[in-house]
Structure formats: C-alpha cells, structure tokens
C-alpha cells in the first residue's frame, strides 16, 4: 500500500495543473448503472443503442463527472479535498474502450473563504473534448500523508 | 422485464416534477471508487474517516450527482434524454445507510433549441438538503416504450 498526499491551500497557485485518466470499460458502465440506478438501454443494451444517434452504447455523463471528481480528490488538491460544487457541460459521448483524461487548472483562489476554483476539461484518447466545467473546492488545511486504500474490485453476478 | 417510457419535449410543462430515490450502501461507495478511481480513505477507510470532520465514511459527492442523472434518465424526461449540462452545489455529506432522494422540477423550456432546464434538489432521509443544482437536457423527440434492462449486479472480489 503506497501513500497519498495532496496540496494545502497555501501550496496551491493560480495556473497549477493536474490530470487523471481512466479507461472506460463495459464493467464500469454496468457498475455505474448499479450504483446510480440508471439502467437506460443506451448504456446497457447494445442492440437498442446501435439504433440511436450514438450508434452504440455510451457511458453515463456523470461517469465523466466522476473522473473529474477523482482528479480533484486524488491529484489537485488531493486527499482532504472538500467538494463544494461543480458545473458540467457535456459535449460528446464516451464509448466503451475510450480513455478519458480530466485536466484541471487552478483559475482562482478566494483567500477569505479559502475556496479554490479549477477549470476542468475532459478529453478522450483522440483529444476531443467530452466535457468541460468548473469545480469549487476547499483544500486540506494541513498536509496529509495517508495510506492509499486498494482499489475495490468487483465481479458481475449473473 | 418491464418497460420504460418517458416524456417528449411537447409533453413536458413548466412546474412538472419527478423524484428518484437511492439507498446508499457500503458497496455503492466501493463500486463508485472502482468506477471513478477515487480511493480516498474518507470513502473507504473507516478508521481514517472517523478522525475527519465527518466522523465516518462519506459517499463521493458525484454519487449524489449520479442519482440526479438517474432521476433525469429514468423519470423526467426519462429514456432518450440527452444530458447537456449540470450544476451542483454540495451542502452536506451522505453517509452509508442514508437514503437520498433527487427531486426534479421543470423550470424552463427553450422552444428554439428544445432545451429543458430542471431544478434539482437532493435530500436525505431527514429531509436535509445534501445538494442542489440545475440540469439542462434534451428530451426524446419521439415517445419511447422500451424494455427495461435488469439492474446489473456485482459482488466484491477479495
């Protein structure tokens, strides 16, 4: 088990960047359905999805949101981040096998309330933007160095 | 397998409401970590989380976002919805065992682009607001009646 660390408010500067990538597998989409309760066939039924404007199954939009939130929580500011808010604009579908990367850039720091604003841009493996938005967070006031829990693993049950 | 149906743009009126509930289990938080890649100990490590301001493990904020998106995709407008954007403001943590309900209300229809705006409010079992925001969607232009895929089921792998 390695360790996680992040940045405190004072260690973060305007223009600072970070990124976090995720390969979207079929199992991710199925798990996202299980977690959210959204079982729309555009996500789960290949035959149905093939007949839609997308031409095949697509990931839930909020799965892209989840990757942004992971970038914030794992990279910048990192562990100890308090998530205050997020805006999201979805521009392209994410399909099974796509590798999406959330790019973050610090665009504002509000010293009185210690709020950090980050521009968020998520691109696919072809560099096409799938979502953009803005996050508002609080960074941990103290430096953390904590054990990294293992990634939970699941398998489908028939 | 029962069926899913939704509302077309023309069938939707200002003031129309819908809601969607989800009981947040430990396995949901673990699956959300697996899907997003966010393995912060505040979500996964009870001992660590007990020492934070939250006093115990909390759900990922975007899991609340995922429940809003499920409300849109399953209820209003329902299947065929195209998700354009979402704003989210997180106000309270969601803990294991909490039952959260996303309430939607149509607040605007933009006839030229067929865009529907919905106010989104997520409350816990005590009626306390955990998140608010606004969604922008396109409804399916034609009435859909489609087979409802079963909820995918997973089990943890050691």
């Amino acid at each position: 088990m390695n360790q996680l660390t992040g940045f405190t408010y004072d260690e973060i500067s305007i223009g600072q960047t970070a990124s976090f990538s995720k390969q979207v597998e079929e199992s991710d989409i199925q798990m996202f359905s299980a977690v959210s309760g959204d079982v729309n066939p555009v996500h789960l039924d290949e035959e149905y999805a093939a007949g839609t404007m997308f031409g095949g199954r697509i990931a839930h939009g909020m799965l892209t949101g989840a990757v942004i939130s992971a970038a914030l929580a794992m990279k910048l500011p990192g562990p100890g981040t308090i998530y205050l808010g997020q805006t999201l604009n979805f521009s392209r579908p994410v399909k099974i096998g796509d590798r999406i990367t959330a790019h973050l850039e610090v665009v504002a720091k509000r010293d009185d309330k210690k709020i950090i604003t980050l521009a968020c841009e998520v691109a696919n493996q072809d560099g096409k933007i799938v979502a953009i938005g803005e996050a508002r967070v609080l960074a941990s006031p103290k430096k953390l160095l904590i054990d990294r829990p293992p990634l939970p693993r699941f398998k489908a049950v028939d």
Side-chain angles (χ1 to χ4, degrees), chain A:
Chain A
M1 188 185 272
N2 55 8
Q3 294 198 294
L4 294 172
T5 190
F7 299 93
T8 64
Y9 181 85
D10 292 335
E11 290 172 334
I12 292 173
S13 49
I14 306 287
Q16 190 169 345
T17 62
S19 65
F20 184 87
S21 294
K22 161 86 188 171
Q23 173 102 14
V24 177
E25 308 288 0
E26 180 175 14
S27 59
D28 292 312
I29 296 175
Q30 290 171 336
M31 275 198 275
F32 204 91
S33 284
V35 166
S36 65
D38 178 355
V39 293
N40 258 273
V42 74
H43 306 304
L44 296 175
D45 182 333
E46 184 57 36
E47 190 182 328
Y48 170 83
T52 66
M53 62 182 282
F54 302 113
R57 276 180 289 172
I58 59 169
H60 304 71
M62 274 298 169
L63 202 159
T64 296
V67 174
I68 293 176
S69 78
L72 297 163
M74 298 294 286
K75 296 292 189 77
L76 180 65
T81 297
I82 308 273
Y83 211 174
L84 299 178
Q86 180 74 51
T87 63
L88 286 164
N89 288 287
F90 302 110
S91 45
R92 267 190 192 78
V94 173
K95 298 197 167 184
I96 293 170
D98 280 359
R99 185 171 183 80
I100 57 174
T101 301
H103 299 279
L104 307 177
E105 180 175 350
V106 177
V107 294
K109 289 180 72 180
R110 185 175 157 178
D111 287 341
D112 59 338
K113 299 205 166 180
K114 306 287 185 190
I115 294 174
I116 296 165
T117 304
L118 300 101
C120 311
E121 197 176 84
V122 186
N124 64 19
Q125 66 280 359
D126 302 320
K128 305 275 192 192
I129 302 299
V130 300
I132 58 169
E134 211 168 72
R136 286 181 308 109
V137 300
L138 298 176
S140 176
K142 61 178 187 201
K143 193 78 175 171
L144 296 176
L145 183 66
I146 46 185
D147 290 339
R148 180 191 181 110
L151 192 67
R153 293 171 56 230
F154 288 86
K155 71 174 188 182
V157 177
D158 289 333

